[in-house]
Amino acid sequence: MAQTQNLIRGFIALIVLIAFGALIVTNPIVTSVAGGVLWSRDYNSSMKAAYYERNFQRVCPEYKAASTWDRWFDQNLSYIGWCDGYIDRL
């Protein structure tokens, strides 16, 4: 009898947790924040890719000519480490 009661209480708790989770997920504030974060990540990555594609021929020759030491420790070159993917296209 006690085992059946515990099983029923467990199912009720599970149903309550699922309902509470559904309320949180369908909340407009939560969904708009999550949507904004996902949009921002996609927008930033696509904007970076477009910038790299437009400017690699102008920016990356200096990176290609630099030594490994300079690429790692020179402040100006460390910011353009993304040029590694474009060196073969120069």
Side-chain angles (χ1 to χ4, degrees):
M1 181 74 171
Q3 188 177 13
T4 305
Q5 285 178 340
N6 287 338
L7 189 60
I8 292 172
R9 287 179 184 156
F11 280 128
I12 291 172
L14 181 63
I15 290 170
V16 168
L17 286 174
I18 289 172
F20 185 68
L23 286 175
I24 289 175
V25 170
T26 59
N27 182 338
I29 296 172
V30 172
T31 55
S32 65
V33 168
V37 167
L38 293 175
W39 176 85
S40 175
R41 288 177 139 185
D42 184 47
Y43 179 77
N44 286 338
S45 65
S46 65
M47 291 299 292
K48 283 182 184 177
Y51 171 81
Y52 296 163
E53 194 63 35
R54 276 193 321 265
N55 295 309
F56 79 91
Q57 290 179 339
R58 182 177 56 83
V59 176
C60 295
E62 180 183 359
Y63 186 81
K64 182 179 180 181
S67 67
T68 304
W69 180 265
D70 288 335
R71 289 179 188 174
W72 287 353
F73 295 107
D74 186 354
Q75 287 283 334
N76 296 327
L77 294 176
S78 63
Y79 290 117
I80 57 173
W82 55 267
C83 284
D84 278 337
Y86 292 90
I87 288 178
D88 59 336
R89 293 174 58 184
L90 290 174

